[in-house]
Amino acid sequence: MSVTRRFSRLRSFLPVNRRPGRNPLVWAAIVAATLAVALVFSLSGLGSRLGMGDANAAGPHPQPPLHASNGKIVDAHGREVVLTGVNWFGLETGTFAPHGLWARNWSQMLDQMSASGFNTIRLPYSNQLFDPASKPTGIDYGKNPDLAGLTGPQIMDKVVDGATARGMMVILDRHRPDAQGQSNLWYTDHVSEQRWIDDWVALAKHYRDNPLVIGADLHNEPHGEATWGDGNKATDWQAAAERAGNAVLAANPNWLVLVEGVETYQGNGYWWGGNLQGAKEHPVRLTDQSKLVYSAHDYSPKVWQQSWFSHPDFPNNLPALWNSMWGYLAAEKQTPVLLGEFGGRSVGDDAEGVWQRSLMKYLKEHGLSYTYWCWNPDSGDTGGVLADDWTTVHEDKLALLRTHQWPAAARPVNARP
């Protein structure tokens, strides 16, 4: 998603029932057990208030590397893992640094994300970030003294190391070729396909020793002339994703390869990057198919008034729509799906709020992964988890997201704070 979307965008637990009898020792044991359970409940409530959400009930910490199995993401022990994360953008923009560092310390920002219960960060970047001329701006070095003198990629390293030291997993997202804006295709006149692939290979090698950097979202929101499975090398996103995905896996076989959809398939239009109908007949084929995860984006009527928002059966028509565009892949146990972007300002009773609550219900019912758009308050169309002061959390949004959160990963032994 762009920071401000163009108007023309079409995105479209008490003991088992026992009788204690007359033995006072038994009775004392039961009372002790009951008190212990009450303590567990109390701590669980505290955990919820601290942002742990449903994570305590969702199972043990996932152990990387992750892979796909029967439409789910699983860990190294074959246990299901659901990524429930958030986007923190900025490295893809002209600041060449995550946004908000003019107002906050970057490490404190990560503390707050972790305390809010997110187990994953999707971190957008642009290829221009890696150019020597790209100098970070928009940073208060009084608040972030350890960032002074660092390049954009070095700041990326700081954020990645900080996130993974807290047990959060990281997905890198090639959001744009350059800082000026998104592109329809994965290449432009200034950033070739080979540059795109080479930068991915370099990142895959660079983060190979950090097991909590889990994957590559190859290209953000293919749209416009982007096609799927038609064999046209200039526009066929499915084929390009195979080329880049296999190069990434050759450099780092532990990574997941995330492939977004397109905008239009066989005349059916949807949100940019959200249409995965073509993956049914033309699936992405990788050298290791267990590393493939599809990703879709979905947005509200505040972004664009798509036809389904004015359907007389709204919002009951939405699950069938989501099934047809991307949900079927996981439901039919083909390939896991991550909803890489969705968000909005309202979680109330207006159309945007109804859509957002319906979508969270769908994700929870189907056990699907997501990375919410976004942490930042400065997303023009959606706002963020944070309010405009870059410190206060929108409790209504966070309460909704906490209905479907999973635990963070186990921290690496040599994790840095």
Side-chain angles (χ1 to χ4, degrees), residues 281-360:
E281 293 185 19
H282 305 286
V284 170
R285 299 294 186 187
L286 299 177
T287 52
D288 183 350
Q289 202 66 10
S290 76
K291 292 301 180 177
L292 175 64
V293 174
Y294 288 116
S295 180
H297 293 182
D298 216 283
Y299 278 99
S300 83
K302 290 291 183 67
V303 173
W304 187 266
Q305 185 61 43
Q306 303 276 21
S307 60
W308 47 89
F309 296 124
S310 57
H311 191 280
D313 199 30
F314 174 85
N316 297 323
N317 60 317
L318 295 177
L321 174 69
W322 296 327
N323 283 337
S324 70
M325 287 295 172
W326 42 268
Y328 76 92
L329 290 158
E332 296 176 5
K333 298 184 178 181
Q334 296 183 33
T335 309
V337 173
L338 168 91
L339 193 61
E341 289 186 18
F342 73 102
R345 296 184 182 276
S346 173
V347 295
D349 294 329
D350 62 321
E352 182 179 58
V354 169
W355 164 81
Q356 198 159 192
R357 288 186 282 110
S358 298
L359 184 48
M360 278 303 300

XYZ file of all heavy atoms in Angstrom, residues 281-360:
649
model
N -5.342 -22.491 -11.462
C -4.939 -23.149 -12.702
C -3.451 -23.010 -12.971
O -2.856 -23.869 -13.642
C -5.713 -22.565 -13.887
C -7.202 -22.870 -13.866
C -7.894 -22.375 -15.132
O -7.194 -22.130 -16.139
O -9.121 -22.228 -15.094
N -2.855 -21.959 -12.490
C -1.437 -21.691 -12.756
C -0.707 -21.420 -11.449
O -0.299 -20.281 -11.178
C -1.296 -20.492 -13.697
C -2.040 -20.628 -14.980
N -1.614 -21.455 -15.998
C -3.214 -20.063 -15.391
C -2.469 -21.382 -17.006
N -3.458 -20.549 -16.660
N -0.502 -22.457 -10.625
C 0.186 -22.238 -9.346
C 1.656 -21.891 -9.549
O 2.271 -22.298 -10.536
C 0.038 -23.584 -8.628
C -0.116 -24.580 -9.735
C -0.867 -23.879 -10.824
N 2.200 -21.123 -8.623
C 3.640 -20.857 -8.625
C 4.360 -22.148 -8.272
O 3.997 -22.846 -7.318
C 3.981 -19.745 -7.604
C 5.481 -19.615 -7.408
C 3.353 -18.419 -8.044
N 5.360 -22.484 -9.060
C 6.140 -23.704 -8.841
C 7.556 -23.327 -8.445
O 8.289 -22.707 -9.225
C 6.188 -24.564 -10.120
C 4.818 -25.021 -10.593
C 4.167 -25.972 -9.612
N 2.919 -26.528 -10.135
C 2.082 -27.271 -9.444
N 2.331 -27.529 -8.161
N 0.979 -27.743 -9.995
N 7.952 -23.728 -7.231
C 9.291 -23.437 -6.727
C 10.108 -24.715 -6.601
O 9.563 -25.817 -6.598
C 9.197 -22.755 -5.352
C 8.459 -21.421 -5.290
C 8.394 -20.911 -3.851
C 9.117 -20.377 -6.196
N 11.413 -24.565 -6.488
C 12.285 -25.724 -6.302
C 11.955 -26.447 -5.004
O 12.177 -27.651 -4.885
C 13.764 -25.283 -6.284
O 13.923 -24.224 -5.327
C 14.195 -24.797 -7.660
N 11.441 -25.730 -4.014
C 10.944 -26.320 -2.777
C 9.550 -25.760 -2.556
O 9.378 -24.642 -2.070
C 11.859 -25.984 -1.593
C 11.404 -26.654 -0.293
O 10.290 -27.216 -0.264
O 12.172 -26.592 0.693
N 8.550 -26.549 -2.934
C 7.178 -26.066 -2.903
C 6.679 -25.806 -1.481
O 5.722 -25.056 -1.286
C 6.261 -27.069 -3.609
C 4.943 -26.487 -4.102
C 5.124 -25.456 -5.219
O 6.215 -25.284 -5.767
N 4.051 -24.760 -5.555
N 7.363 -26.424 -0.496
C 6.952 -26.227 0.899
C 7.317 -24.844 1.420
O 6.985 -24.509 2.562
C 7.591 -27.299 1.795
O 8.957 -27.024 2.032
N 7.953 -24.043 0.599
C 8.338 -22.694 1.020
C 7.427 -21.618 0.438
O 7.624 -20.426 0.698
C 9.796 -22.415 0.612
C 10.808 -23.260 1.371
C 10.722 -23.031 2.870
C 11.735 -23.859 3.638
N 11.680 -23.561 5.087
N 6.416 -22.031 -0.295
C 5.522 -21.069 -0.925
C 4.379 -20.659 -0.007
O 3.692 -21.503 0.577
C 4.937 -21.664 -2.219
C 3.891 -20.815 -2.937
C 4.507 -19.504 -3.442
C 3.274 -21.612 -4.095
N 4.157 -19.356 0.111
C 2.999 -18.784 0.789
C 2.433 -17.707 -0.126
O 3.173 -16.844 -0.613
C 3.379 -18.167 2.150
C 2.186 -17.452 2.769
C 3.918 -19.236 3.095
N 1.159 -17.777 -0.385
C 0.523 -16.707 -1.149
C 0.128 -15.568 -0.207
O -0.152 -15.779 0.976
C -0.711 -17.222 -1.881
C -0.396 -18.116 -3.067
C -0.783 -19.456 -3.073
C 0.271 -17.621 -4.184
C -0.506 -20.285 -4.152
C 0.560 -18.438 -5.278
C 0.168 -19.768 -5.254
O 0.454 -20.574 -6.331
N 0.082 -14.370 -0.764
C -0.282 -13.207 0.039
C -1.261 -12.344 -0.746
O -1.088 -12.127 -1.948
C 0.966 -12.398 0.400
O 0.619 -11.273 1.185
N -2.279 -11.861 -0.052
C -3.256 -10.961 -0.662
C -3.386 -9.693 0.160
O -3.027 -9.663 1.338
C -4.612 -11.665 -0.765
N -3.904 -8.643 -0.485
C -4.226 -7.395 0.198
C -5.709 -7.118 0.025
O -6.285 -7.424 -1.013
C -3.410 -6.236 -0.377
C -1.951 -6.342 -0.111
N -1.046 -5.371 -0.509
C -1.212 -7.295 0.517
C 0.185 -5.729 -0.130
N 0.104 -6.904 0.489
N -6.339 -6.534 1.052
C -7.773 -6.289 1.021
C -8.049 -4.994 1.765
O -7.488 -4.764 2.841
C -8.519 -7.467 1.678
C -9.822 -7.775 0.990
O -10.792 -7.022 1.215
O -9.888 -8.754 0.238
N -8.931 -4.170 1.216
C -9.187 -2.867 1.828
C -10.669 -2.516 1.875
O -11.520 -3.243 1.369
C -8.362 -1.789 1.113
C -6.942 -1.767 1.627
C -5.912 -2.392 0.934
C -6.657 -1.170 2.848
C -4.623 -2.398 1.441
C -5.370 -1.174 3.361
C -4.359 -1.791 2.656
O -3.094 -1.809 3.173
N -10.952 -1.399 2.505
C -12.311 -0.995 2.869
C -12.905 -0.036 1.841
O -12.207 0.481 0.959
C -12.276 -0.323 4.242
O -11.913 1.040 4.124
N -14.195 0.275 1.991
C -14.806 1.258 1.087
C -14.234 2.656 1.235
O -14.443 3.502 0.341
C -16.287 1.215 1.483
C -16.326 0.627 2.854
C -15.180 -0.330 2.903
N -13.517 2.933 2.339
C -12.887 4.242 2.486
C -11.698 4.397 1.537
O -11.271 5.519 1.242
C -12.428 4.443 3.942
C -13.559 4.622 4.931
C -14.264 5.951 4.727
C -15.352 6.160 5.764
N -14.847 6.320 7.127
N -11.173 3.277 1.064
C -10.084 3.323 0.096
C -10.654 3.427 -1.321
O -10.208 4.233 -2.130
C -9.168 2.089 0.249
C -8.122 2.032 -0.852
C -8.490 2.121 1.617
N -11.636 2.602 -1.585
C -12.350 2.691 -2.857
C -13.691 1.992 -2.713
O -13.774 0.923 -2.122
C -11.541 2.061 -4.002
C -12.177 2.290 -5.339
C -13.036 1.458 -6.004
C -12.022 3.439 -6.167
N -13.429 2.022 -7.186
C -12.817 3.254 -7.318
C -11.291 4.631 -6.037
C -12.899 4.196 -8.343
C -11.379 5.571 -7.062
C -12.163 5.353 -8.194
N -14.725 2.608 -3.229
C -16.069 2.070 -3.092
C -16.300 0.967 -4.131
O -16.923 1.177 -5.176
C -17.110 3.179 -3.250
C -18.542 2.733 -2.994
C -18.790 2.221 -1.589
O -18.319 2.803 -0.617
N -19.523 1.123 -1.485
N -15.754 -0.213 -3.830
C -15.940 -1.345 -4.723
C -17.400 -1.788 -4.725
O -18.162 -1.543 -3.793
C -15.042 -2.508 -4.270
C -13.559 -2.189 -4.181
C -12.835 -2.306 -5.515
O -13.456 -2.241 -6.583
N -11.518 -2.459 -5.466
N -17.780 -2.502 -5.774
C -19.188 -2.864 -5.961
C -19.733 -3.725 -4.831
O -20.913 -3.615 -4.465
C -19.369 -3.599 -7.294
O -18.582 -4.786 -7.324
N -18.898 -4.594 -4.251
C -19.386 -5.497 -3.212
C -19.773 -4.783 -1.923
O -20.531 -5.311 -1.129
C -18.367 -6.600 -2.918
C -16.954 -6.167 -2.746
C -16.330 -5.778 -1.599
C -15.955 -6.103 -3.781
N -15.019 -5.468 -1.832
C -14.751 -5.656 -3.160
C -15.942 -6.373 -5.151
C -13.561 -5.480 -3.874
C -14.768 -6.199 -5.866
C -13.600 -5.745 -5.232
N -19.305 -3.567 -1.731
C -19.682 -2.827 -0.530
C -21.121 -2.291 -0.605
O -21.732 -1.992 0.418
C -18.712 -1.674 -0.277
C -17.304 -2.123 0.002
C -16.243 -1.669 -0.762
C -17.039 -3.006 1.043
C -14.935 -2.081 -0.501
C -15.741 -3.429 1.309
C -14.686 -2.969 0.536
N -21.642 -2.166 -1.795
C -23.028 -1.695 -1.954
C -23.988 -2.830 -2.281
O -25.152 -2.586 -2.591
C -23.089 -0.628 -3.054
O -22.584 -1.131 -4.279
N -23.513 -4.076 -2.195
C -24.375 -5.235 -2.420
C -25.455 -5.276 -1.340
O -25.169 -4.990 -0.156
C -23.533 -6.512 -2.395
C -24.252 -7.728 -2.867
N -25.121 -8.431 -2.057
C -24.228 -8.377 -4.062
C -25.602 -9.457 -2.724
N -25.081 -9.443 -3.958
N -26.693 -5.613 -1.701
C -27.765 -5.617 -0.689
C -27.537 -6.592 0.452
O -28.116 -6.417 1.534
C -29.013 -6.013 -1.507
C -28.494 -6.578 -2.782
C -27.195 -5.889 -3.048
N -26.656 -7.602 0.241
C -26.395 -8.588 1.290
C -25.136 -8.268 2.091
O -24.689 -9.082 2.882
C -26.275 -9.995 0.668
C -26.475 -11.104 1.690
O -27.217 -10.885 2.670
O -25.877 -12.185 1.516
N -24.557 -7.071 1.864
C -23.363 -6.669 2.629
C -23.691 -6.628 4.121
O -24.745 -6.127 4.513
C -22.892 -5.295 2.162
C -21.753 -4.727 2.968
C -20.440 -5.066 2.668
C -21.980 -3.851 4.041
C -19.382 -4.549 3.413
C -20.931 -3.337 4.793
C -19.633 -3.683 4.471
N -22.850 -7.184 5.003
C -21.519 -7.759 4.766
C -21.520 -9.278 4.603
O -20.457 -9.890 4.546
C -20.775 -7.382 6.047
C -21.839 -7.513 7.116
C -23.123 -7.044 6.472
N -22.730 -9.877 4.525
C -22.793 -11.340 4.425
C -22.231 -11.875 3.116
O -21.931 -13.050 2.995
C -24.242 -11.806 4.594
C -24.805 -11.464 5.954
O -24.095 -11.515 6.954
N -26.084 -11.082 6.008
N -22.093 -10.993 2.139
C -21.520 -11.406 0.855
C -20.005 -11.506 0.878
O -19.402 -12.081 -0.041
C -21.915 -10.409 -0.233
C -21.415 -8.991 0.053
O -21.498 -8.513 1.187
N -20.902 -8.314 -0.964
N -19.381 -10.974 1.919
C -17.916 -10.870 1.923
C -17.181 -12.205 2.017
O -16.200 -12.418 1.281
C -17.461 -9.928 3.042
C -17.889 -8.468 2.895
C -17.446 -7.648 4.114
C -17.318 -7.854 1.610
N -17.581 -13.145 2.912
C -16.823 -14.403 2.983
C -16.730 -15.144 1.653
O -15.664 -15.672 1.311
C -17.590 -15.222 4.031
C -18.196 -14.175 4.923
C -18.593 -13.070 3.987
N -17.810 -15.171 0.885
C -17.764 -15.840 -0.416
C -16.807 -15.131 -1.362
O -16.081 -15.769 -2.145
C -19.167 -15.898 -1.024
N -16.781 -13.804 -1.298
C -15.850 -13.031 -2.116
C -14.413 -13.355 -1.752
O -13.570 -13.621 -2.635
C -16.126 -11.542 -1.928
C -15.158 -10.574 -2.602
C -15.318 -10.627 -4.117
C -15.370 -9.151 -2.087
N -14.108 -13.318 -0.444
C -12.745 -13.618 0.008
C -12.353 -15.043 -0.353
O -11.211 -15.289 -0.771
C -12.639 -13.371 1.511
C -12.854 -11.943 1.888
C -12.507 -10.840 1.151
C -13.480 -11.447 3.076
N -12.869 -9.692 1.818
C -13.466 -10.017 2.999
C -14.031 -12.044 4.204
C -13.998 -9.218 3.998
C -14.563 -11.240 5.211
C -14.541 -9.854 5.104
N -13.288 -15.983 -0.217
C -13.007 -17.367 -0.620
C -12.607 -17.446 -2.083
O -11.651 -18.131 -2.447
C -14.240 -18.248 -0.399
C -14.456 -18.629 1.045
O -13.524 -18.623 1.844
N -15.690 -18.959 1.393
N -13.331 -16.751 -2.911
C -13.089 -16.851 -4.347
C -11.795 -16.205 -4.780
O -11.160 -16.651 -5.741
C -14.258 -16.227 -5.116
O -14.282 -14.808 -4.973
N -11.389 -15.144 -4.093
C -10.203 -14.404 -4.516
C -8.906 -14.944 -3.937
O -7.877 -14.943 -4.608
C -10.354 -12.928 -4.139
C -11.353 -12.185 -4.996
S -10.783 -12.088 -6.725
C -12.241 -11.394 -7.515
N -8.910 -15.408 -2.673
C -7.659 -15.865 -2.059
C -7.851 -16.900 -0.965
O -6.993 -17.761 -0.772
C -6.867 -14.686 -1.493
C -7.643 -13.640 -0.756
C -8.184 -12.496 -1.272
C -7.982 -13.628 0.650
N -8.834 -11.767 -0.290
C -8.726 -12.443 0.899
C -7.720 -14.494 1.714
C -9.211 -12.101 2.163
C -8.197 -14.152 2.983
C -8.932 -12.976 3.191
N -8.991 -16.920 -0.279
C -9.186 -17.822 0.851
C -9.225 -19.284 0.469
O -8.870 -20.151 1.269
N -9.651 -19.580 -0.792
C -9.776 -20.976 -1.231
C -8.457 -21.725 -1.187
O -8.427 -22.949 -1.002
C -10.345 -21.024 -2.653
C -9.368 -20.661 -3.736
C -8.607 -21.643 -4.381
C -9.161 -19.339 -4.120
C -7.692 -21.322 -5.375
C -8.248 -19.005 -5.101
C -7.515 -19.994 -5.731
O -6.598 -19.682 -6.706
N -7.356 -21.028 -1.351
C -6.044 -21.677 -1.410
C -5.728 -22.401 -0.115
O -5.233 -23.533 -0.119
C -4.964 -20.644 -1.720
C -4.994 -20.084 -3.142
C -4.281 -18.740 -3.208
C -4.377 -21.091 -4.110
N -6.014 -21.757 1.024
C -5.798 -22.389 2.323
C -6.924 -23.355 2.649
O -6.698 -24.449 3.165
C -5.686 -21.331 3.411
N -8.175 -22.984 2.298
C -9.328 -23.822 2.620
C -9.245 -25.179 1.922
O -9.653 -26.201 2.478
C -10.618 -23.111 2.226
N -8.720 -25.186 0.718
C -8.582 -26.436 -0.035
C -7.251 -27.133 0.236
O -6.874 -28.066 -0.467
C -8.729 -26.152 -1.533
C -10.113 -25.625 -1.893
C -10.247 -25.240 -3.361
O -9.280 -25.482 -4.133
O -11.306 -24.694 -3.726
N -6.555 -26.671 1.273
C -5.291 -27.257 1.731
C -4.245 -27.283 0.628
O -3.436 -28.189 0.516
C -5.515 -28.668 2.296
C -6.439 -28.678 3.504
C -6.558 -30.070 4.107
C -7.450 -30.045 5.331
N -7.578 -31.363 5.972
N -4.279 -26.257 -0.193
C -3.287 -26.141 -1.259
C -2.034 -25.431 -0.766
O -0.951 -26.006 -0.715
C -3.882 -25.379 -2.446
C -5.049 -26.061 -3.120
C -5.542 -25.281 -4.320
O -4.775 -24.619 -5.020
N -6.842 -25.342 -4.577
N -2.196 -24.171 -0.388
C -1.060 -23.332 -0.016
C -1.496 -22.351 1.057
O -2.613 -21.826 0.993
C -0.548 -22.542 -1.242
O -0.347 -23.453 -2.331
C 0.773 -21.845 -0.946
N -0.662 -22.067 2.057
C -1.037 -21.072 3.073
C -1.231 -19.698 2.453
O -0.647 -19.369 1.414
C 0.145 -21.067 4.039
C 0.909 -22.319 3.754
C 0.671 -22.627 2.311
N -2.047 -18.897 3.130
C -2.284 -17.519 2.702
C -2.005 -16.577 3.865
O -2.450 -16.811 4.985
C -3.731 -17.319 2.217
C -4.005 -15.849 1.930
C -4.004 -18.170 0.974
N -1.259 -15.540 3.592
C -1.048 -14.434 4.521
C -1.781 -13.227 3.960
O -1.556 -12.859 2.796
C 0.445 -14.111 4.648
C 0.765 -12.795 5.362
C 0.944 -13.015 6.851
C 2.023 -12.139 4.781
N -2.657 -12.616 4.749
C -3.238 -11.349 4.340
C -2.232 -10.267 4.713
O -2.143 -9.830 5.858
C -4.589 -11.124 5.019
C -5.431 -9.989 4.432
C -5.760 -10.261 2.967
C -6.702 -9.777 5.229
N -1.461 -9.870 3.741
C -0.298 -9.019 3.988
C -0.634 -7.597 4.345
O 0.143 -6.925 5.031
N -1.789 -7.109 3.851
C -2.237 -5.762 4.182
C -3.753 -5.731 4.267
O -4.445 -6.264 3.397
C -1.803 -4.742 3.126
C -0.323 -4.436 3.094
C 0.005 -3.311 2.116
O -0.925 -2.554 1.734
O 1.177 -3.205 1.727
N -4.274 -5.116 5.315
C -5.655 -4.682 5.446
C -5.685 -3.723 6.614
O -4.844 -3.804 7.512
C -6.607 -5.863 5.693
C -6.537 -6.460 7.069
C -7.488 -6.173 8.028
C -5.477 -7.305 7.422
C -7.415 -6.724 9.308
C -5.395 -7.865 8.695
C -6.367 -7.569 9.639
N -6.606 -2.796 6.613
C -6.679 -1.854 7.712
C -7.675 -0.763 7.429
O -8.231 -0.669 6.330
N -7.916 0.067 8.409
C -8.844 1.172 8.274
C -8.899 1.970 9.553
O -8.415 1.539 10.593
N -9.513 3.129 9.471
C -9.601 3.991 10.639
C -10.694 3.541 11.598
O -10.569 3.673 12.807
C -9.857 5.434 10.200
C -8.698 6.003 9.390
C -8.916 7.469 9.041
N -7.805 7.965 8.223
C -6.655 8.414 8.707
N -6.461 8.421 10.009
N -5.707 8.835 7.904
N -11.789 3.003 11.073
C -12.946 2.692 11.896
C -13.080 1.196 12.150
O -12.877 0.378 11.243
C -14.227 3.170 11.214
O -15.376 2.736 11.933
N -13.433 0.856 13.400
C -13.858 -0.509 13.730
C -15.261 -0.451 14.335
O -15.670 -1.339 15.072
C -12.874 -1.208 14.697
C -11.527 -1.416 14.030
C -12.722 -0.416 16.002
N -16.001 0.581 13.981
C -17.335 0.813 14.524
C -18.432 0.209 13.678
O -18.265 -0.824 13.022
N -19.578 0.898 13.618
C -20.761 0.382 12.944
C -20.946 0.926 11.533
O -21.931 0.603 10.866
C -22.013 0.694 13.775
C -22.022 -0.050 15.100
O -21.463 -1.167 15.154
O -22.582 0.487 16.079
N -20.033 1.746 11.081
C -20.097 2.205 9.699
C -19.579 1.106 8.778
O -19.116 0.056 9.230
C -19.260 3.479 9.544
C -17.790 3.260 9.859
O -17.486 2.503 10.811
O -16.932 3.823 9.160
N -19.650 1.315 7.475
C -19.282 0.271 6.515
C -17.839 -0.180 6.670
O -17.544 -1.381 6.590
C -19.527 0.775 5.089
N -16.925 0.782 6.912
C -15.523 0.407 7.077
C -15.330 -0.447 8.326
O -14.619 -1.461 8.299
C -14.629 1.637 7.163
C -13.148 1.294 7.292
C -12.260 2.517 7.345
O -12.459 3.362 8.251
O -11.372 2.641 6.484
N -15.965 -0.052 9.430
C -15.849 -0.808 10.669
C -16.456 -2.188 10.550
O -15.888 -3.186 11.028
N -17.610 -2.281 9.899
C -18.259 -3.578 9.696
C -17.375 -4.479 8.836
O -17.194 -5.669 9.127
C -19.645 -3.397 9.049
C -20.213 -4.738 8.589
C -20.600 -2.729 10.036
N -16.823 -3.899 7.764
C -15.908 -4.673 6.915
C -14.709 -5.173 7.708
O -14.323 -6.345 7.609
C -15.421 -3.792 5.751
C -14.218 -4.339 5.050
C -14.191 -5.303 4.093
C -12.848 -3.977 5.300
N -12.883 -5.557 3.720
C -12.053 -4.765 4.449
C -12.231 -3.071 6.159
C -10.659 -4.664 4.430
C -10.854 -2.979 6.129
C -10.083 -3.766 5.273
N -14.112 -4.297 8.514
C -12.892 -4.654 9.237
C -13.158 -5.741 10.286
O -12.384 -6.699 10.418
C -12.285 -3.404 9.894
C -10.828 -3.572 10.279
C -10.057 -2.271 10.451
O -8.842 -2.314 10.539
N -10.714 -1.132 10.500
N -14.283 -5.631 10.992
C -14.640 -6.650 11.979
C -15.016 -7.973 11.310
O -14.672 -9.048 11.797
C -15.783 -6.137 12.866
C -15.303 -5.043 13.831
C -16.364 -4.619 14.828
N -17.358 -3.730 14.242
C -18.616 -4.051 13.994
N -19.060 -5.281 14.274
N -19.457 -3.170 13.485
N -15.675 -7.905 10.165
C -16.027 -9.120 9.422
C -14.779 -9.843 8.935
O -14.696 -11.076 8.985
C -16.916 -8.761 8.225
O -18.130 -8.173 8.642
N -13.807 -9.076 8.488
C -12.573 -9.668 7.980
C -11.769 -10.319 9.096
O -11.227 -11.428 8.925
C -11.736 -8.607 7.267
C -10.451 -9.064 6.577
C -10.677 -10.291 5.709
C -9.870 -7.931 5.742
N -11.693 -9.670 10.251
C -10.990 -10.287 11.385
C -11.675 -11.581 11.812
O -11.013 -12.575 12.145
C -10.916 -9.326 12.567
C -9.789 -8.300 12.485
S -8.134 -9.025 12.319
C -8.045 -9.995 13.804
